[in-house]
Amino acid sequence: MASRTPEVKRPLTDVDRKLAFSFLQYFKTIFENTDDVSMMSAALGGLFDIDTTGTGGVHDAQIDLHTVFKNAVSASLEGDDKFKAFVALLQTKGYFKDVTEGTPEYAERLEKARAKFDQRNNPFAGMTSDELKVKGNGLMKEQKYKEAIAHYTKAIELDKSNHILYANRAAAHLHINDYNSAVVDCETSLSINSKYAKAYARLGTAYYYMEKFGLSVDAYENANRLEAGVYEDDLKAAKDKAAASGVTTTGGAGGMAGFPGMGGGGGGFPGMPPGMDFGAAMEMMKDPKYQTMMQSMMSNPEMRKAAMEMTQNMMGGGGAGLPGGFNPAAMDPARAAALRQEFESKMDPEKLKRIREDVAANGIEAFQKYADDEEVMKMSQDMMKGMYSGNDEGAQ
């Protein structure tokens, strides 16, 4: 099975871990400890291998990151010759007369001066969202992709409801090999307009180069369905790669990846209320807000691993529990075997094999494709209910 953990571009150092810990400490001074904050903290803790609550420990540099960064920003401002000239002009006008250089009050006033300076020297000043888009398109033709991204980003800040802007920025991300960002932008574009073929096509391209060929085929099929024949060559290339890697595709999923919700009592999968009926669960899965939440949860390596292993457990294989919840592996072995046998007896063996291979090759995201397959989802729900029923004592 392919690893779902982000690739490390260079070995992590002790300084990296101290910086990550300092960032988490700073983060906690801004936000209340909600579920989202806890998940983000757990994700960073897993990635950097740090104790996120280890105040006073080996990774606690006892540095106020906000103050350090603020001082660094002030230092960088003072090193800008044009800005120095602007500050000198302000000094002649008495802007700094009642504050002493080096004090927090001086730094605060210097920040305000910089904001005014940037406003006057902003290359985007006065441009509309559409003008920024046109400029971004021109930069794409000139192969100035990072500059194009900046223009699309400024356009999005002015018009967050324009699906084309996200898809265009995705295209720029593809050119600089930032495939994860391209996926995010394509998904955002499709959450605004699910009929935009170019967003599906660019999503297919991103997944293709990420070697998620099953998901690439699905995206290209959606694009080709919306604009018949336009993406045939891309679709064929993705299908060939999928076939060569042994991936079986089901087609036409679209939307953002996430783990399908299972109702039932005793804990359930995070994000799904206990007792939710099958139809309501399927509708919730199609809600972009729910899908975004699940994508965030899947960024947590522990949660991703648990979800993957639980899916495999349902499909036949090893099992592991969810953090803080019921552990299927802790069930009575005879009962677990009986549940799995009942599950497999109700599903076509070839389909079950295809699903196993798909999830193994493409990760937990691949299971989203079966959200509209009532047979798969009903069997999954039944098995989940069987696992949790009468087993509340398994939760720790």
Side-chain angles (χ1 to χ4, degrees):
M1 182 191 309
S3 172
R4 312 306 298 169
T5 303
E7 180 181 351
V8 178
K9 295 182 178 180
R10 61 171 175 77
L12 292 176
T13 67
D14 201 45
V15 172
D16 292 320
R17 294 185 173 90
K18 288 179 178 179
L19 179 60
F21 186 86
S22 296
F23 172 77
L24 287 174
Q25 296 302 106
Y26 158 72
F27 200 75
K28 290 175 184 178
T29 67
I30 307 298
F31 299 101
E32 293 292 337
N33 191 26
T34 61
D35 289 343
D36 286 343
V37 172
S38 295
M39 286 189 289
M40 188 279 298
S41 179
L44 276 182
L47 287 173
F48 285 89
D49 190 24
I50 57 176
D51 178 0
T52 59
T53 58
T55 304
V58 66
H59 295 132
D60 185 1
Q62 298 184 6
I63 291 175
D64 182 345
L65 197 61
H66 181 267
T67 299
V68 171
F69 186 77
K70 187 175 181 179
N71 290 340
V73 169
S74 296
S76 69
L77 298 183
E78 293 168 359
D80 184 330
D81 289 338
K82 289 184 179 180
F83 182 63
K84 280 182 179 179
F86 181 66
V87 169
L89 177 63
L90 291 178
Q91 287 173 333
T92 64
K93 296 184 177 182
Y95 182 73
F96 296 98
K97 67 178 182 180
D98 55 346
V99 293
T100 303
E101 188 171 350
T103 63
E105 292 78 15
Y106 181 89
E108 183 178 350
R109 196 159 298 185
L110 191 65
E111 275 191 51
K112 291 180 180 179
R114 182 70 192 205
K116 190 70 174 178
F117 176 81
D118 288 342
Q119 186 178 10
R120 291 185 179 183
N121 293 273
N122 183 3
F124 308 108
M127 296 180 72
T128 66
S129 176
D130 190 59
E131 288 170 339
L132 287 162
K133 177 176 76 100
V134 170
K135 178 64 175 177
N137 293 347
L139 290 165
M140 288 287 287
K141 292 177 182 178
E142 297 174 26
Q143 299 182 9
K144 297 178 179 178
Y145 303 119
K146 291 185 178 180
E147 290 181 44
I149 288 171
H151 279 76
Y152 291 139
T153 298
K154 288 296 181 181
I156 288 169
E157 289 173 357
L158 295 175
D159 184 4
K160 293 182 173 63
S161 64
N162 189 330
H163 63 282
I164 295 175
L165 295 174
Y166 292 99
N168 285 8
R169 191 170 66 177
H173 284 308
L174 289 173
H175 280 287
I176 62 172
N177 303 329
D178 186 355
Y179 304 123
N180 286 313
S181 293
V183 168
V184 171
D185 276 348
C186 287
E187 295 286 9
T188 304
S189 176
L190 291 167
S191 72
I192 298 169
N193 182 358
S194 62
K195 305 296 184 183
Y196 192 46
K198 286 184 179 179
Y200 277 120
R202 289 163 189 169
L203 182 63
T205 302
Y207 279 139
Y208 183 91
Y209 287 107
M210 294 168 76
E211 298 185 357
K212 296 182 178 182
F213 301 119
L215 297 178
S216 178
V217 169
D218 290 338
Y220 279 133
E221 284 185 335
N222 275 315
N224 217 39
R225 174 174 51 81
L226 292 167
E227 292 186 4
V230 175
Y231 304 102
E232 284 289 356
D233 291 343
D234 297 311
L235 176 58
K236 182 181 183 304
K239 282 185 173 181
D240 289 346
K241 283 288 189 179
S245 59
V247 176
T248 303
T249 59
T250 58
M256 187 173 291
F259 189 78
M262 308 297 177
F269 194 78
M272 280 298 182
M276 174 174 285
D277 64 58
F278 183 74
M282 293 302 97
E283 287 305 309
M284 177 176 280
M285 284 181 62
K286 296 173 184 176
D287 185 334
K289 291 182 179 179
Y290 172 72
Q291 293 174 345
T292 299
M293 179 196 73
M294 295 309 296
Q295 185 182 58
S296 174
M297 290 173 64
M298 288 302 101
S299 68
N300 182 336
E302 291 183 4
M303 187 66 74
R304 178 181 287 277
K305 179 182 177 183
M308 173 70 80
E309 292 177 342
M310 188 168 69
T311 302
Q312 291 178 318
N313 187 67
M314 289 189 292
M315 296 299 171
L322 292 171
F326 171 65
N327 184 353
M331 293 177 62
D332 174 70
R335 183 165 175 270
L339 276 171
R340 188 177 299 114
Q341 183 177 3
E342 179 183 0
F343 178 87
E344 295 182 356
S345 70
K346 294 179 180 179
M347 182 175 287
D348 175 61
E350 286 302 313
K351 179 185 283 189
L352 184 62
K353 180 182 177 182
R354 289 197 302 270
I355 295 172
R356 285 174 178 164
E357 292 173 347
D358 197 357
V359 172
N362 292 307
I364 193 66
E365 292 95 338
F367 206 69
Q368 173 70 19
K369 290 185 292 190
Y370 305 96
D372 293 323
D373 189 321
E374 187 166 335
E375 178 190 17
V376 174
M377 301 313 298
K378 183 65 167 64
M379 293 302 99
S380 299
Q381 184 193 40
D382 288 346
M383 188 168 185
M384 286 296 295
K385 286 181 177 179
M387 285 181 176
Y388 282 102
S389 177
N391 278 273
D392 291 346
E393 69 274 13
Q396 299 295 321

